[in-house]
Amino acid sequence: MNTFISSFIHSRVKSILFITLYLAFGVANVMGQTQQEPERCLSPLPQQVAWGSGNVAADSNNVRQGVRGDKAVRAWSRRIPQQAEGYYLSISQKGIVIAGADSAGLFYGQQTLAQLRRDDGTLPCVEITDWPAMPERGVIEGYYGNPYTHEARLRLFDFMGRNKLNVFIYGPKDDPYHRSQWRVPYPKDEARRLSELVQAARRSHVKFVWAIHPGGDIRWELSDSVAIVRKCEAMYGLGVRSFCVFFDDIGGEGARGEKQAGLLNYLHKAFVQKHDDVDALMMCPTQYNRSWSGGDYLTTLGTQMEPSVRVMWTGATVVDMIDREDMEWINAQLRRKAYIWLNYPVTDYCIDHLLMGPTWGNALDIGPMVSGFCSNPMEYCEASRLSLFSIADYAWHPETYDAQASWLMATKQIMPEHVEAFRLFCDNNVDLGPTAHGLRRETESQGFVSAKDDGERMQYFKAMSRAATELERDASQPELRDEIQPWVQSMDLTASRGIITLIMQQQLQQGEPEAFVKSYESYDRTTKQQQALRSRDFRGSIKVATPVVATRHIEPWLRSRVAEMIADYKQRYDYRLDVFPVQVVENGTYFIRDTHGRYLTDPAYAQAGVKAVFRVERDTINPQTQEWTIAYDGNTGRYSITNNQARRYLNEVGAFGPNPFNAEWNTYEIQKQTAESDATPAYSIRNAGLGGTAWWVAVEDDEVIQFVREAETMPSVFTWQLQPVK
């Protein structure tokens, strides 16, 4: 924190509003050993738990373990679940029993036993019968961006094993030998590392699925089919036993459904059936979500492709949570259970954000309807564990999944020495921001949202700053610290800006223009420092992020509050106005006229959905139909345009919007096109934000605004006169 801010913060602050944060989420402490629901110490939550009374020593020598049929656990064979990967665990005064339905079940029983061990070296008496609701649960490294490092994947497999995730699909878009150079064998060193990954995954009972992405330039010829088999055989030699073919994000010839089905059928016969230890194939279709589906593509896959091939699906849209209707619809198209590719918490389309909030929105009743459930994570492997912890919890036992309780457990598991600071950090990294995919998360910065006044807001900002300092100094989780550090720094700077904003508010109320200007200069420097932050800004980086935090509630509040104060200041004082941003157009009421002198007019102010039109003459009966309020929006840095007759805003197609005003959609860029000295300056107006980037155009023969998306120059039809209404 800079020295200006430090001077305003007392050395001792009693409240940091963590209590407010928890109350806002409506949760109770579920972490302690004296909790009312002991099973909350377990994740994933088991299917059946019977808690006994008393404890036993964790280092007991009386431990019987094995899989079904082993002599050591034969006496408990009827207790072992029939489901694959199931297990029976008993802890009593008589000893400990772990009996698995198979080797994976035994391994998972051991993981549950490890979770039950208390800090005092004891175990609670309990009887657990457990199995997964979904047969395959895991991670798909399928994002665009810097692939995970070898070491990160090794750590990830350990994490997956502990949390009962059993599938890792290797498909980083920017691995050339996966996609752009799919015909080319892996170089020797990379092949060796892949073989190490396969073996490491197997030790954690994680199935390593290698994916190939040939659709971008595939030729539907036998030679390319043979090339894919040859590549799969090479991967088989490295230990891979599970394979997937991607056809996502392509067009043209590669997207033909009947050809894709034919290729998968060929691979099934020429490769899978030649090996008795290769799993059924998987594929990602070109139409991998409902909004992109059309024609007979999906039904072609469903009817013409080998029935054992699993087909991946992202839901109703590219980025979506999965509901029962999604599954009913796609399973009918494919004539098989879809394999879920969940595009969350991936951020390759919103790279400036981290997604660290609770993982919620997937239906709790779709377990029997899926053949697998995998999460596409962020480029930040360690940070992704927060959501993956909950994905594991959900996919194992969705009926009892509690997103908030799972998030609380995950934060403590991942950052146990700084859990409260970490939770506050995560709470300010929840929303995705406005994107083409539309998924949003409102529950961000809950302690700030619930603050009743500026005093509580000040305490929240101070708590953010202290949490940032604590996390920056953390040495317990170096890999995680390095990943999130740019966002931690961004949170600290956001807190600084918040504190300055509240100080500015006091200075303005107390009539201190000199102090207000000095504070604003500090705010501006801090904002620029925050905007200069970068993540993954190294030589050869595929994507570089500008870390942003608290963008759903705090950032809009900051921008709007500062803009309002500057406008208020300008009304009161003329001291040092040069330090403030210069608005192209000052807030006020204007006539909007084209170069032909026509007035932009609301033609039917009592009728919804109509477009604004041009009129040559002034309306002397209802003059406000031609008067427009143009106002600077401090949050977006753009302008709203509202007709004064019925106070209706103009939207991105030149009509009066029927929906509530939304600054992300309904604000515009205004640029001055003439010199300052011109008596009648000309301006260009352009859509912005989610409304697109089209320029407003006035054509003499048209009575409504036209739109042009591309323009190298600014001809007269692009310019407008904004004439103040006197």
Side-chain angles (χ1 to χ4, degrees), residues 48-83:
Q48 298 176 6
V49 182
W51 295 96
S53 59
N55 307 311
V56 300
D59 59 355
S60 171
N61 293 323
N62 187 12
V63 180
R64 297 178 176 86
Q65 55 183 328
V67 300
R68 190 190 312 276
D70 287 352
K71 182 178 180 181
V73 295
R74 190 172 299 164
W76 295 272
S77 59
R78 293 186 179 181
R79 307 285 186 92
I80 302 173
Q82 295 300 314
Q83 294 88 340

Side-chain angles (χ1 to χ4, degrees), residues 273-305:
Q273 290 189 331
K274 295 293 180 65
H275 299 279
D276 58 8
D277 58 350
V278 170
D279 295 323
L281 291 168
M282 299 169 62
M283 68 94 72
C284 180
T286 305
Q287 296 181 15
Y288 56 80
N289 67 86
R290 191 169 182 176
S291 67
W292 286 6
S293 63
D296 61 357
Y297 173 87
L298 291 173
T299 56
T300 296
L301 295 183
T303 57
Q304 297 184 18
M305 192 165 61

Side-chain angles (χ1 to χ4, degrees), residues 329-373:
W329 187 87
I330 187 56
N331 287 354
Q333 304 294 312
L334 298 175
R335 300 189 180 187
R336 68 198 77 195
K337 296 179 180 180
Y339 197 107
I340 297 304
W341 173 325
L342 185 74
N343 271 324
Y344 188 89
V346 65
T347 56
D348 55 5
Y349 61 98
C350 56
I351 61 171
D352 296 339
H353 293 258
L354 287 183
L355 300 184
M356 307 294 285
T359 300
W360 57 271
N362 295 301
L364 305 183
D365 60 351
I366 61 171
M369 306 175 74
V370 306
S371 58
F373 196 103

Side-chain angles (χ1 to χ4, degrees), residues 170 175-187 190-191 194 210-214 223-240 243-244 267 271:
Y170 178 92
D175 171 0
Y177 306 103
H178 157 75
R179 189 168 65 130
S180 61
Q181 300 180 50
W182 61 268
R183 298 178 182 87
V184 180
Y186 279 94
E190 294 198 35
L194 281 171
W210 181 77
I212 190 169
H213 197 307
S223 59
D224 266 0
S225 298
V226 171
I228 294 174
V229 170
R230 186 182 305 118
K231 191 72 172 275
C232 289
E233 289 287 5
M235 302 310 298
Y236 182 89
L238 299 178
V240 177
F243 298 83
C244 185
L267 293 177
F271 176 66

